[in-house]
Amino acid sequence: MEYFIAVAEELHFGRAAQRLHMSQPPLSTQIQRLEQEVGARLLRRTKRSVELTAAGEVFLQEARATVRQAARAAERARAAARGELGRLDLGVIDAALYGVAPQIIRRFTERYPGVELTVSERRGDEQVALIAAGKLHAGFVHPPVRQPAVAVEVLHTEPFVLAMPESHPLAARERVSLAQVCAHPLIQAPRSVNPEGHDSMIAICRERGLRPNIAREASPKQTIIALVAAGLGASVVPAVLARHPHPGVVYRPIEDGGFGISTALAWRRQNPEPTVLALLDVARELRDAATP
C-alpha cells in the first residue's frame, strides 16, 4: 500500500521509486501484484504518464487510512512494550496509603496516563498470593516475603512511634523507651490484619527481652486512633500517622533504634508486565531522590 501511495501521489514510477529508495522494476512488479490481489486496475499507464483509475481513486483513500492505522498500531505496540499503555492492577496495604503509595501512584499516573490503573486495599499476604498466581500485577507490602515467585524491593522504612491520649502518663515526655511502651496497655491490630507489622514489633521487643502488653485489638488504623483519643490505651503506629493530627492524640518517638517497619513493592518475578517495570522505575526514582 505504501508503494501504491507513492506512485499515486507522484504519478511517475521513476520518481516514486526514488522516493522509496528502490529501483523501478521491483516497484512495477509490486503494483502489478497489488492490482491482481485487489482484483481491479488501479493505475492507467502510458509511455508518457500514469493516471489513477476510478478504482485507484477509491483505493488511495482507503490505503492512506490503512497505512495510518498500521503506523498507529505499531506505535501503540511499542508504547505498550515500554509500559506506557496497558493495565496495572495494584494492591496496597493500609499503612502504605498513609506513606509512600500516594506519591508513587500520582507520579505514575502523571507520567503514564495511557495505563488503566486499578488500586485495591488488601492485606500483604493476600497480595503476595495473588501476585504469585498471576491475578495481581504488583502491590505495596511489608517485607519479608517468603514466596519464591514474588520479587520484592524495599522503598521506605518508617519508624514506629507511640500514639497516646493527651492524658497518658507518657504524654509529657519528648521521647519514650521501648520498655516504657511495653509497660502500658496497647491497642494493636490483630495479627491476621497485618502479620508482617505485628511480627516485626513482637520480634524487636523480644530481642530486648520485652513483651508488649496488647490489651485490646482493633482495625483499621483510623479505628485504633479513635480508641486512643477516647483514652482506652496507647498504640504503636508508623510515624507517618503523626503527620495526620487527630484531636486528643499525641505522638512520641520511640528512642530504641531499629524499631520500625519497611514498605516494599512486590511483583511477579517471572515475565513481569511492562507496566510493572514502569511503576518500579517511578518508585526507585522517588526513593533515590528522597535518600540523603
Side-chain angles (χ1 to χ4, degrees):
M1 288 187 179
E2 289 177 339
Y3 292 168
F4 171 76
I5 292 170
V7 175
E9 290 177 348
E10 298 292 341
L11 293 177
H12 191 283
F13 275 87
R15 289 195 298 268
Q18 228 175 6
R19 170 173 153 181
L20 294 166
H21 305 289
M22 63 189 299
S23 60
Q24 185 173 331
L27 176 58
S28 299
T29 301
Q30 290 295 330
I31 297 301
Q32 289 170 4
R33 288 179 179 174
L34 177 64
E35 289 178 320
Q36 291 170 3
E37 185 174 339
V38 171
R41 190 175 182 185
L42 304 175
L43 296 169
R44 188 177 297 110
R45 308 165 182 80
T46 69
K47 289 184 178 180
R48 297 183 178 181
S49 66
V50 176
E51 296 178 354
L52 285 168
T53 63
E57 293 279 4
V58 172
F59 189 79
L60 177 60
Q61 296 177 24
E62 298 297 332
R64 283 171 172 161
T66 300
V67 168
R68 283 195 300 267
Q69 180 60 34
R72 182 174 181 271
E75 176 51 38
R76 286 179 64 82
R78 289 190 291 269
R82 295 190 298 265
E84 298 170 5
L85 292 175
R87 183 179 178 86
L88 179 61
D89 295 324
L90 184 64
V92 60
I93 50 175
D94 65 341
L97 289 172
Y98 292 98
V100 298
Q103 186 182 12
I104 293 172
I105 292 171
R106 181 169 60 252
R107 179 70 62 84
F108 179 82
T109 55
E110 289 172 352
R111 186 171 296 176
Y112 302 108
V115 174
E116 182 183 350
L117 174 67
T118 62
V119 181
S120 56
E121 184 179 342
R122 300 176 184 270
R123 295 195 323 269
D125 57 344
E126 181 186 2
Q127 290 186 54
V128 170
L130 290 172
I131 291 169
K135 297 179 180 179
L136 187 69
H137 292 138
F140 292 96
V141 301
H142 291 313
V145 170
R146 297 181 177 86
Q147 165 55 259
V150 177
V152 174
E153 183 158 336
V154 174
L155 302 176
H156 179 69
T157 299
E158 188 80 18
F160 283 130
V161 297
L162 185 65
M164 56 192 136
E166 293 174 333
S167 58
H168 196 277
L170 299 176
R173 296 176 176 270
E174 290 187 4
R175 306 176 70 85
V176 297
S177 69
L178 191 54
Q180 290 170 330
V181 171
C182 292
H184 289 81
L186 298 174
I187 306 168
Q188 299 298 141
R191 186 183 184 279
S192 59
V193 171
N194 184 5
E196 301 88 352
H198 181 279
D199 292 350
S200 174
M201 184 182 77
I202 297 297
I204 293 172
C205 290
R206 284 178 177 171
E207 287 173 3
R208 292 159 172 77
L210 301 169
R211 182 176 181 180
N213 177 15
I214 301 177
R216 191 186 304 268
E217 291 185 336
S219 180
K221 285 182 172 55
Q222 299 95 316
T223 301
I224 292 175
I225 296 301
L227 295 178
V228 170
L232 299 184
S235 182
V236 175
V237 298
V240 67
L241 289 184
R243 298 198 285 271
H244 302 272
H246 190 287
V249 178
V250 296
Y251 299 88
R252 296 292 182 265
I254 301 170
E255 61 189 12
D256 303 65
F259 192 44
I261 191 164
S262 296
T263 300
L265 187 67
W267 69 95
R268 195 175 186 187
R269 190 180 300 277
Q270 188 174 7
N271 300 322
E273 293 291 328
T275 51
V276 172
L277 299 180
L279 177 69
L280 184 58
D281 284 344
V282 169
R284 286 170 173 164
E285 178 184 300
L286 290 172
R287 178 195 61 191
D288 295 345
T291 303

